[in-house]
Amino acid sequence: MQVTLKIFRYHPERDKKFHYESYSLEADETDRILDLLEKVKGQQDGTLSFRRSCAHGVCGSDAMRINGRNMLACKTLVRDVGDKITVEPLLGLKVIKDLIVDMEPFFDNYKKVLPYFVNNSPLPADGKERYQSIEARARFDETTKCILCAACTTSCPSYWANGEYFGPAAIVTAHRFIFDSRDEAAAERMHIMGETDGTARCHTVFNCTMACPREIQITKAIGEVKMAMVTGKLD
Amino acid sequence: MLNGNGINGQRYVYLDVRPETVNKFAALDGRTNPDGTPYTTTGEEILAKLPDIIDFCRTYLGVDPVTQPMPIQPTAHYAMGGIPTNIKGEVVVDEKNTVMPGFYAAGECACVSVHGANRLGCNSLLDIVVFGKHAGLNAAAYANSVDFRPLPADPTSAVVERLNSFRASNGKEKVFDVANDMKSVMFKHVGVFRTEAGMNEALNTLGELKERFQHISVKDTGRIFNTELLNAWELGNLLDLAEVTATSALARKESRGGHARDDFPKRNDPEWMKHTLAWLENGKIKLGYKPVAVTKYQPKERVY
């Protein structure tokens, strides 16, 4: 089938202002949008720029707006979106070039929630593992799936309005450690979440949940963090 | 499978992990749980154990492995071999494992040779967790123990020159096409099925591709996030690596681990239980070998 790809273009060294360019190409309905972008770049216009790496929804590099919704280009097929496809960069982060946005503010927010395992207690007597029950591991399984693609944070109206808001992805990461029975920094993370730009800026719009390519129930996870902050209970 | 000998003349076969199939064979084999009760599984358990694989099938093929067999075919999954290192993550440069001071490698780029001639699922965790940690710790300790070395007068000139030549290039060939042709020939002749004739053909084709690579064009002359330039740079490196891989595979006249030759199907320990080393010098590949360190486990043929 013939598809039309309308792509947001902006080259900082060449353009004063962004514009859209349309490309027509042959595609199968099982082609990924990433395949189409690669074809345009490889055969029609080498200057088209976008991030990509693993190409199967694991690395989180190619989140972008496809027909107005945040998706991974590698997990969206032509048959999911039809033959008229508009591709634009994520909203709320500065465009560096074409579909590439500046991810620094996103990762700055991520770093604020102590996105690593904290346990300063001595090792167990046998010096080996800190055991965790299957149930305790399951408590935060959902939020371990995050690939930091930023589809959620850049779909959030609260984040668009205020880039200081940590955003859903950072709170998902906080959730992953707050509810990990082996981690000891839950109180500190919840204190951070209590800051002006923490969970209070979530207004349960659910855009993040809709946008997540890993199908994480993000709004629910944010709700659980809020609840733990109020009750002090982590189960 | 290569020549359409799979299911219905296609290039794939089926892998059936439906619970009813798994349960049928588990019962035939008399498989039991640790407590002695008969082993059975459910769709939920299979979904929990293989979430990503099932998601790939559902997303890309519209096939649900819980209720339908999965079509499968071989693919390049991991690069075995790489920059040779010792167990500290230090890069070694010759048959005698001479360390190059200050150069460390870990992960898929490295070859600490912990997997032998094969790399099974999840084994990359060892590369990441064990050897990644040690390479990092040792690199940090080294950096703390030495002062900066004097640099040559113009250390970047070679790289800058190469990048500038890409930027100025204006040939007829496309990086995309050369890269796709390289992938095809490597998959066909230096992948799962390897023969002398096939690998010679691959080497000839790679020679042609290297020539074509001299005539590429890079249209993006920018200095900000220039992915077209990056792709060209990478293709040049990949062509070198492809040639090294094909040359060393052609020289190894036996089958071992992931290296399976139709013309030498047997493993040959007396002659070939050794690591291949390769040097690229002035465009020519030189091969060398170093012995395998056998410690606790005696190597033996893997049989199914």
Side-chain angles (χ1 to χ4, degrees):
Chain A
M1 63 195 280
Q2 200 71 18
V3 299
T4 309
L5 211 52
K6 187 176 144 196
I7 305 176
F8 177 104
R9 298 301 308 270
Y10 169 72
H11 274 216
E13 294 151 297
R14 183 187 69 196
D15 306 329
K16 283 213 169 67
K17 197 172 166 295
F18 72 88
H19 66 284
Y20 287 85
E21 256 171 65
S22 286
Y23 304 87
S24 183
L25 67 162
E26 187 59 35
D28 288 333
E29 62 164 17
T30 53
D31 279 346
R32 299 165 292 192
I33 305 308
L34 179 62
D35 296 321
L36 307 189
L37 292 171
E38 295 276 18
K39 260 194 206 170
V40 169
K41 183 180 180 64
Q43 293 173 331
Q44 299 191 32
D45 184 351
T47 67
L48 175 64
S49 305
F50 49 90
R51 281 195 185 95
R52 52 90 70 206
S53 183
C54 80
H56 62 291
V58 178
C59 74
S61 302
D62 65 352
M64 52 189 74
R65 264 184 302 155
I66 300 169
N67 287 354
R69 282 174 175 261
N70 284 1
M71 300 182 186
L72 296 181
C74 59
K75 278 194 86 174
T76 307
L77 308 188
V78 171
R79 68 169 171 230
D80 302 330
V81 290
D83 59 359
K84 296 228 174 349
I85 306 160
T86 304
V87 185
E88 298 161 290
L90 295 172
L91 275 178
L93 293 169
K94 197 175 147 250
V95 175
I96 295 175
K97 187 176 186 179
D98 294 342
L99 302 170
I100 296 167
V101 295
D102 181 6
M103 295 287 281
E104 287 299 325
F106 175 80
F107 284 110
D108 286 344
N109 280 326
Y110 170 71
K111 287 172 198 156
K112 284 178 191 156
V113 306
L114 315 180
Y116 42 81
F117 184 68
V118 178
N119 188 324
N120 294 318
S121 300
L123 284 172
D126 67 2
K128 288 182 180 166
E129 294 172 60
R130 302 182 198 277
Y131 286 113
Q132 184 168 49
S133 70
I134 290 171
E135 294 73 29
R137 173 63 179 73
R139 178 65 190 86
F140 62 97
D141 187 64
E142 177 99 353
T143 44
T144 62
K145 294 180 198 160
C146 176
I147 54 174
L148 295 170
C149 68
C152 59
T153 295
T154 60
S155 74
C156 173
S158 195
Y159 183 75
W160 296 336
N162 182 351
E164 296 297 309
Y165 170 37
F166 299 168
I171 305 176
V172 161
T173 300
H175 179 284
R176 182 253 171 272
F177 290 104
I178 287 171
F179 291 95
D180 184 333
S181 60
R182 302 163 302 174
D183 184 272
E184 293 177 339
E188 198 179 339
R189 286 195 193 89
M190 290 197 285
H191 181 76
I192 295 165
M193 284 296 141
E195 290 171 15
T196 318
D197 295 314
T199 48
R201 293 217 183 271
C202 169
H203 303 305
T204 56
V205 178
F206 281 88
N207 273 15
C208 52
T209 305
M210 301 275 284
C212 180
R214 304 282 291 173
E215 295 174 17
I216 301 171
Q217 302 291 309
I218 301 177
T219 314
K220 183 173 170 229
I222 298 173
E224 288 176 359
V225 171
K226 287 180 180 172
M227 187 65 89
M229 287 161 66
V230 173
T231 63
K233 288 187 187 151
L234 292 180
D235 44 16
Chain B
M1 216 182 297
L2 186 67
N3 299 315
N5 293 326
I7 305 285
N8 296 331
Q10 300 293 312
R11 289 185 170 199
Y12 58 82
V13 294
Y14 283 130
L15 175 64
D16 192 347
V17 298
R18 292 176 297 175
E20 60 265 37
T21 312
V22 174
N23 288 338
K24 188 175 94 186
F25 285 98
L28 278 173
D29 290 348
R31 203 170 147 193
T32 54
N33 293 314
D35 65 2
T37 54
Y39 172 89
T40 57
T41 190
T42 60
E44 290 76 47
E45 189 181 48
I46 285 165
L47 184 55
K49 283 191 172 167
L50 298 170
D52 288 329
I53 301 292
I54 289 175
D55 183 36
F56 299 153
C57 280
R58 288 174 175 171
T59 302
Y60 300 117
L61 302 173
V63 167
D64 185 353
V66 177
T67 57
Q68 296 164 277
M70 284 186 263
I72 59 164
Q73 61 178 186
T75 182
H77 172 218
Y78 181 88
M80 292 188 278
I83 306 165
T85 73
N86 59 25
I87 59 169
K88 293 177 178 173
E90 296 167 330
V91 172
V92 294
V93 294
D94 59 18
E95 294 93 333
K96 297 189 197 90
N97 289 324
T98 307
V99 170
M100 176 175 274
F103 188 12
Y104 293 80
E108 192 162 344
C109 75
C111 181
V112 66
S113 290
V114 73
H115 306 309
N118 209 343
R119 184 277 195 190
L120 306 177
C122 292
N123 275 10
S124 67
L125 275 178
L126 262 182
D127 281 338
I128 300 164
V129 178
V130 179
F131 297 104
K133 176 179 175 176
H134 283 270
L137 291 174
N138 289 321
Y142 176 83
N144 275 331
S145 72
V146 292
D147 210 345
F148 288 112
R149 291 181 166 230
L151 289 174
D154 193 4
T156 56
S157 62
V159 173
V160 171
E161 224 169 80
R162 189 154 163 85
L163 288 175
N164 284 341
S165 77
F166 285 137
R167 255 200 214 94
S169 65
N170 197 19
K172 283 194 184 128
E173 294 289 347
K174 291 186 160 71
V175 166
F176 184 77
D177 296 333
V178 177
N180 280 339
D181 289 350
M182 175 190 67
K183 289 180 206 171
S184 302
V185 75
M186 289 301 284
F187 188 79
K188 191 170 179 197
H189 291 306
V190 199
V192 180
F193 307 100
R194 295 174 168 185
T195 62
E196 181 165 334
M199 287 189 286
N200 275 324
E201 195 185 319
L203 281 169
N204 283 337
T205 308
L206 287 170
E208 291 163 21
L209 292 174
K210 282 194 151 181
E211 174 55 30
R212 283 171 62 192
F213 181 68
Q214 300 304 314
H215 306 286
I216 54 161
S217 76
V218 174
K219 299 278 186 235
D220 193 340
T221 54
R223 290 173 179 273
I224 298 173
F225 235 113
N226 190 336
T227 53
E228 191 184 19
L229 182 65
L230 181 70
N231 288 355
W233 174 273
E234 285 183 348
L235 178 59
N237 297 342
L238 284 168
L239 284 166
D240 284 344
L241 275 178
E243 205 173 15
V244 164
T245 305
T247 304
S248 46
L250 180 63
R252 184 175 280 273
K253 293 186 166 139
E254 64 151 0
S255 289
R256 178 184 299 271
H259 171 69
R261 286 192 57 164
D262 290 350
D263 44 2
F264 296 95
K266 285 279 175 225
R267 182 173 143 155
N268 180 353
D269 278 354
E271 279 179 74
W272 285 105
M273 200 167 76
K274 53 190 179 186
H275 299 288
T276 305
L277 298 171
W279 289 263
L280 190 61
E281 288 168 353
N282 303 321
K284 289 257 184 309
I285 294 166
K286 186 183 98 187
L287 295 182
Y289 296 92
K290 67 177 180 183
V292 175
V294 178
T295 53
K296 190 170 174 183
Y297 299 101
Q298 289 304 311
K300 56 183 182 183
E301 200 170 347
R302 188 184 171 90
V303 286
Y304 295 94

